[in-house]
Each structure stands twice: as C-alpha cells, then as structure tokens.
Amino acid sequence: QVQLVESGGGSVQPGGSHRLTCTASGFSLDWYSIGYFREGAGKGREGVACLGPRGSVKYGNAVKGRFKISREPGQNTVYLDMDDLGVEDTALYRCTTFSNGCYEWAFDYWGQGTRVSVSP
C-alpha cells in the first residue's frame, strides 16, 4: 500500500528558506519518481518538483532556481529545500508519485499535505 507522509510545514517570512520532508512507504524510490505539487488558495494543482529514480529532476516554472528536491541516499525519504520564498508560495504542499515519471505533471498517489505560509 502506497503511503506518503509530509512534514515540515510552517510559517516563513518572505525571502526565507524552509525544508519539507516526505517519507514514502509501500514502494521503492529506486524504481519510481516522486515529488511535490501544491495547492494555493483559489488555485488548482501546480507541479513543483519531480525526482526520477535515476536522479533526473524537473521543476515547475514558478520555483525554478529557488527550490531543490533531493533524496536521502538509500532511504525512502525526499526533501524539498525552498529558498527565497514569497507570498505566492503559500500553499498546501503534497508529496506525490507520478504516473508517467517526470515527463509530465501527472500525479498518481499523494499524501495529505503540509501547509507552508509565507507572510511578513
């Protein structure tokens, strides 16, 4: 059974940094892609980051150059490091698997999410 559990959400000031953690179970990151999408107020799902099993990465246009996704070696744990956060990054961040790898933002399974709030 696929399970994805996010942690690390919280309040951050604009320009600050923050780290989210996703712990996956029921499958191995050695074989599947994993990442995050987010849901902001009044917005639909927005792809944030994807990490492929061989290390390929993909980022949403809104976060390129500011966010970095990585994996704990040998573990089913993924990190999303977020820098230079702005109020537009305020959202519920969900850890997700992808039905077509990192080729497209096609979300398969996802967790309950962790909320990041960016405000002065």
Side-chain angles (χ1 to χ4, degrees):
Q1 182 181 358
V2 174
Q3 285 192 319
L4 300 163
V5 179
E6 306 92 340
S7 61
S11 296
V12 189
Q13 291 190 334
S17 299
H18 207 68
R19 166 177 273 196
L20 302 181
T21 301
C22 173
T23 302
S25 60
F27 67 102
S28 172
L29 297 187
D30 290 341
W31 301 101
Y32 293 95
S33 300
I34 191 168
Y36 283 85
F37 68 84
R38 65 186 182 185
E39 297 170 306
K43 301 178 183 178
R45 294 174 187 164
E46 179 184 18
V48 173
C50 180
L51 175 66
R54 294 180 183 82
S56 62
V57 294
K58 176 179 177 177
Y59 296 98
N61 289 334
V63 307
K64 279 180 183 177
R66 300 188 298 122
F67 289 16
K68 179 182 179 181
I69 189 168
S70 61
R71 176 186 170 188
E72 186 71 36
Q75 304 293 319
N76 261 21
T77 301
V78 172
Y79 304 109
L80 183 68
D81 289 298
M82 306 180 292
D83 293 327
D84 192 23
L85 286 161
V87 293
E88 66 277 9
D89 295 313
T90 295
L92 180 68
Y93 285 75
R94 295 186 190 267
C95 185
T96 183
T97 59
F98 297 84
S99 59
N100 191 25
C102 293
Y103 296 104
E104 59 179 320
W105 298 115
F107 315 121
D108 198 1
Y109 295 92
W110 53 85
Q112 292 192 331
T114 187
R115 189 166 299 279
V116 175
S117 178
V118 185
S119 61

